[in-house]
Amino acid sequence: MIVKYEGSGVAARVAARPGLSEERRAGFAAWALQVLEHFIEHGPEFDGWQKRSDEGWQLWGRVHQFPSLD
């Protein structure tokens, strides 16, 4: 995800890995929307955003399958 402040708003570009299942793609879209909303409300602090040379911000996301706690 790449985000940049433009005027009084925010422009974002989001890309997902090709070949994701529909279920994974939907989960990614929900996560990306939540992260973007948090960025708009709070800025890039505390979420692992990396400053880019073009004055934008970048965040990578990875899916991790954790073992069950049961």
Side-chain angles (χ1 to χ4, degrees):
M1 180 180 305
I2 298 173
V3 178
K4 191 171 187 179
Y5 291 106
E6 291 190 354
S8 62
V10 172
R13 291 177 32 199
V14 180
R17 180 181 297 168
L20 288 178
S21 69
E22 288 299 318
E23 180 181 355
R24 286 262 170 116
R25 186 175 294 278
F28 171 76
W31 171 82
L33 181 58
Q34 181 181 24
V35 169
L36 181 57
E37 288 172 341
H38 190 268
F39 182 95
I40 291 168
E41 186 173 338
H42 301 286
E45 306 304 321
F46 310 114
D47 280 339
W49 289 93
Q50 297 174 338
K51 184 74 169 163
R52 294 168 44 98
S53 61
D54 65 358
E55 298 304 312
W57 294 89
Q58 179 173 319
L59 181 70
W60 293 86
R62 289 185 72 173
V63 174
H64 292 279
Q65 188 71 35
F66 293 105
S68 173
L69 296 175
D70 295 334

